[in-house]
Amino acid sequence: MKNVGGAVQRAAEEQTTGERRTRNRVARSVLDHGPSTAADLAERLGLTQAAVRRHLDALVTENVVEPREQRVYGSRGRGRPAKVFALTDCGRDAFDQAYDQLAADALRWIAESAGGGEDGQAAVSAFARARVATQAERYRAIVDEAAPEDRAQALARALSADGYAATTRSAPGPAGEQLCQHHCPVAHIAEQFPQLCEAEAEVFSRLLGTHVQRLATIAHGDGVCTTFIPRAPQPHQPHEPPPARPPEPGRAAAQQPSRSPAPSQTTQASAPVSTSGRNPA
């Protein structure tokens, strides 16, 4: 009986371990891809939607993910939008390896040492720019090697290698694309010091050679850091000049070039010519 009880316990532990691994996969997928529906997760992980919902319920109970209403871009169809699940601060903490409190204390000390106020904020901004400058140099070689239309994707790959879980997608309309960072190792620090986000956006602009616009940040409570990148205008292609338009009716004579009369047709403005041979005067 003892052996039977031990086998049952081991089976239960293995099942629990398997459940936990699957649950971690679900949470990791939300981290990598941003707020997701149960259908999205089921497709990515090869699970049934029922199984995914069961794991999501457990993750909600553990305060790892939270349900939200899905944002709808453009025209909205009938019915309620599908519910999406996003990581909570607690959920992100499970993946973060940054020493948040130490970093916050260091930045606060920089601001105070510079005299506080505007001078202190400027000192923090200078530190933020210096911090991302090293990243920018590593990213530049990767971005410059890519074709102009692929540079945003190249930057996303470089960011993902540094733990930002970045992707790109087309922006609504033909205006450009969006760079999405589904994870931010310094999100909690950026809540207190937005200069970190501002310096990062400046680097993106320099690397891509165009002005970019931050649409959302994890530090401000959004599910994903989203940066809009306008699409570069296409170069003008050489083309044949348009054919000449036919003259409008009634204007043909005015548009035709004047011709000088032939010498034999040249006449002088004189008195009428008499056929009698006499001078009419």
Side-chain angles (χ1 to χ4, degrees):
M1 296 295 295
K2 183 176 180 180
N3 291 336
V4 172
V8 171
Q9 183 177 0
R10 284 194 300 272
E13 290 174 351
E14 289 174 359
Q15 182 178 2
T16 302
T17 301
E19 293 278 314
R20 172 53 59 185
R21 288 175 179 171
T22 303
R23 206 164 295 165
N24 288 341
R25 288 177 60 208
V26 171
R28 181 72 200 192
S29 185
V30 174
L31 171 69
D32 291 340
H33 299 275
S36 307
T37 65
D40 293 335
L41 291 164
E43 182 178 358
R44 287 198 296 261
L45 300 175
L47 301 171
T48 65
Q49 291 191 35
V52 168
R53 289 193 182 95
R54 180 165 52 83
H55 289 299
L56 287 171
D57 289 341
L59 291 170
V60 169
T61 302
E62 295 171 0
N63 195 29
V64 175
V65 301
E66 61 182 358
R68 297 180 180 177
E69 284 196 2
Q70 188 177 30
R71 288 185 176 181
V72 178
Y73 297 97
S75 59
R76 178 172 175 175
R78 295 182 177 180
R80 298 181 61 184
K83 184 183 297 184
V84 297
F85 294 85
L87 284 180
T88 63
D89 289 342
C90 179
R92 292 185 184 280
D93 287 341
F95 296 98
D96 286 344
Q97 300 297 324
Y99 295 95
D100 289 351
Q101 189 58 49
L102 176 62
D105 290 344
L107 289 175
R108 197 171 294 109
W109 182 86
I110 291 174
E112 293 173 356
S113 297
E118 293 184 359
D119 291 339
Q121 296 300 315
V124 173
S125 295
F127 168 81
R129 294 190 183 97
R131 173 183 174 272
V132 298
T134 303
Q135 287 178 296
E137 290 306 313
R138 289 190 289 108
Y139 296 164
R140 182 173 298 281
I142 299 172
V143 173
D144 288 349
E145 288 177 358
E149 64 272 15
D150 297 330
R151 286 179 178 173
Q153 295 182 8
L155 178 57
R157 290 193 296 270
L159 288 166
S160 294
D162 278 351
Y164 289 88
T167 60
T168 59
R169 66 185 180 191
S170 295
E177 56 189 327
Q178 293 178 352
L179 174 67
C180 303
Q181 296 162 261
H182 303 283
H183 180 55
C184 177
V186 296
H188 293 164
I189 310 304
E191 291 179 15
Q192 305 173 53
F193 300 97
Q195 294 94 329
L196 298 174
C197 297
E198 295 167 3
E200 186 180 65
E202 291 174 4
V203 165
F204 292 169
S205 181
R206 290 199 300 271
L207 290 173
L208 299 173
T210 184
H211 175 72
V212 303
Q213 181 182 5
R214 269 277 160 80
L215 303 180
T217 61
I218 295 172
H220 292 160
D222 298 294
V224 181
C225 292
T226 307
T227 304
F228 173 73
I229 304 169
R231 186 169 286 110
Q234 297 297 323
H236 294 288
Q237 298 295 330
H239 59 277
E240 296 294 331
R245 297 177 57 185
E248 299 178 9
R251 298 182 60 185
Q255 292 179 351
Q256 292 179 356
S258 61
R259 297 181 181 179
S260 299
S264 60
Q265 297 175 343
T266 305
T267 59
Q268 296 181 354
S270 59
V273 178
S274 173
T275 57
S276 64
R278 297 180 181 180
N279 188 339

